[in-house]
Amino acid sequence: MARALEPLRRPLSPGPELDPLDPRLAAVVDAAERRQFREAADRAEALFAEGVYDVQAVSIYLYQAFAEGGLGALGELFATAEALAGDNLGALSPARRREERLDRRLGWLFDTVNDALEYHVLKNTPDWARWREGVGPDAFAEALARGEALGGRLRAGGFKAGEAGLGRLLTRLQPLAPVLAPPPAPAPPPAAAQAPAAAVASPAAHATLEPSRHRVELVASDKFVELLCKLRAFEALVERKNYQKAALVGDDLLQTLDDFDPRAYFPELFAGFSALFSEHVDQLAPHWGDRDTITWKALAQFYRVDLKGFVGG
C-alpha cells in the first residue's frame, strides 16, 4: 500500500527544528543512504507525527511513496511537491536557507525517480510491471498535467534544480503513454442472420493480400514495450545532448535490430501460423523436397509477384 501523501498537502504549521546531528534525523538519512527507503520513510513518518517536517526527511518519504505506488502515485507526488513549494513552505525545516535546501532535495527526488524508471523500464523488472499496473492513459495524462503545473510553480519560485529535475523526469515519462493504452476491444462476431454461413470466413481471409502501408493494431509482448521505451530513451538523450548515454542505448538498439525476431515481439500475430504449421507439418514436409524443381520455382515467382492471385488460383 502506497504511503499517504494527502497529510503533507494539508495546511502545516511550523514545528520543532532538529539539529542536523539529532539521532532521529540521522537515522532517516542513514537508512536512505543504505537504500533502505522503506525504513527511512517509516522513521520520517515518526518525525511528522511530532510536527517535524525536515526537508530531507520529506523528500525521502516522497520517493518511497513513488516506490510503493508507482505511476499511479505520480499525480499525488506532484501535487504534494507543489504544496510544499507553495503554501506549506514555511512549515519546512530548517528555516535557514529553506528554499535552497528544498530546491536541492526536489532535484534529488525527481532525478532519483527518473533513474529508477530508467533502470526498471529497460530491464523490464517485476517492479516496472507493478508500477504500471492498473494505470490507464487518462490517469497518466492527468498526472503529467499535474507535473506541468508543478513545473510552473517551481519556475515562479526560482526552484531551478527542482524544475530541471522535474523536466528530465517528464521527458522520461511522456514516451511511456503508449505502454498504458488499453488493448483494443475484440470485434463482435458476425451475426448469422446478416450473412449466409458460406460467407463467414476466418479473420485471415479478410486481410488484404496486397502489400501496402497501413496503420494496424497489434498485440505486443513486454519485449516490444521494452524496445519502444529504449527508442524513446535514445531520442530523449539525444535531445538533451547526453551523447555518452545515447551511444550506449543506440549500440544496444542496433544489436537488437540485427537479431530482430518478430515472433518474440508480436507472438499473437504468428500464433495461428505456428499452430497450423505444427498441425500439418507431416503434410507440408514432403513438398520441401521440390525446392529445386521447375514447378516449385514457377510457383515461387507467382507467389512473389501476385500474392492474391497465388492464394485464389
Side-chain angles (χ1 to χ4, degrees):
M1 185 174 180
R3 304 277 165 164
L5 292 177
E6 194 274 336
L8 292 176
R9 296 196 297 276
R10 298 172 187 162
L12 301 179
S13 301
E17 189 167 311
L18 300 183
D19 185 277
L21 299 180
D22 187 289
R24 292 168 293 175
L25 181 57
V28 175
V29 176
D30 176 67
E33 288 178 348
R34 291 185 284 109
R35 303 198 64 80
Q36 300 298 315
F37 289 106
R38 184 182 300 276
E39 176 189 342
D42 289 342
R43 293 182 180 277
E45 279 184 330
L47 292 180
F48 301 161
E50 298 177 30
V52 177
Y53 300 101
D54 179 86
V55 168
Q56 200 164 6
V58 166
S59 63
I60 292 168
Y61 181 85
L62 290 179
Y63 174 74
Q64 181 59 20
F66 162 77
E68 293 174 359
L71 299 184
L74 284 175
E76 272 202 282
L77 182 98
F78 293 148
T80 304
E82 185 173 2
L84 294 171
D87 295 341
N88 283 336
L89 180 61
L92 301 179
S93 61
R96 183 173 177 270
R97 299 166 62 187
R98 177 188 288 126
E99 290 82 356
E100 180 182 341
R101 293 174 189 270
L102 177 61
D103 187 29
R104 288 203 310 269
R105 293 308 299 177
L106 287 177
W108 170 88
L109 169 65
F110 298 134
D111 281 339
T112 305
V113 172
N114 192 8
D115 291 344
L117 279 169
E118 179 179 19
Y119 174 82
H120 290 285
V121 170
L122 292 181
K123 296 293 185 182
N124 199 24
T125 65
D127 277 340
W128 168 233
R130 177 174 59 82
W131 284 349
R132 70 178 190 265
E133 185 178 2
V135 180
D138 291 343
F140 189 64
E142 182 180 347
L144 292 180
R146 286 189 175 184
E148 295 292 347
L150 170 60
R153 164 74 75 174
L154 297 179
R155 191 176 308 112
F159 296 98
K160 294 182 178 179
E163 182 188 0
L166 176 64
R168 289 188 287 270
L169 175 56
L170 292 177
T171 299
R172 169 81 55 196
L173 289 169
Q174 287 162 356
L176 300 180
V179 179
L180 308 175
Q194 296 176 345
V200 181
S202 67
H206 292 290
T208 179
L209 297 177
E210 298 177 353
S212 184
R213 293 175 63 87
H214 294 291
R215 184 179 296 276
V216 298
E217 293 181 336
L218 297 175
V219 178
S221 67
D222 285 344
K223 197 173 183 67
F224 176 76
V225 172
E226 179 184 356
L227 174 61
L228 181 66
C229 292
K230 288 180 179 180
L231 289 168
R232 299 296 182 266
F234 178 78
E235 294 170 3
L237 289 167
V238 170
E239 288 177 2
R240 284 156 43 189
K241 302 188 185 304
N242 192 333
Y243 294 117
Q244 183 181 38
K245 286 187 175 181
L248 189 151
V249 177
D251 181 64
D252 180 48
L253 284 169
L254 289 175
Q255 292 182 46
T256 299
L257 294 174
D258 285 342
D259 301 326
F260 190 83
D261 181 355
R263 292 169 296 185
Y265 294 86
F266 308 105
E268 289 197 16
L269 179 63
F270 297 94
F273 164 75
S274 299
L276 287 171
F277 190 89
S278 62
E279 182 181 351
H280 299 283
V281 67
D282 290 338
Q283 290 76 36
L284 297 170
H287 295 284
W288 292 328
D290 300 333
R291 287 192 184 99
D292 294 328
T293 67
I294 189 65
T295 302
W296 181 279
K297 291 177 180 179
L299 285 172
Q301 288 293 326
F302 189 18
Y303 166 64
R304 293 189 182 98
V305 300
D306 185 3
L307 178 60
K308 185 176 181 180
F310 177 85
V311 173

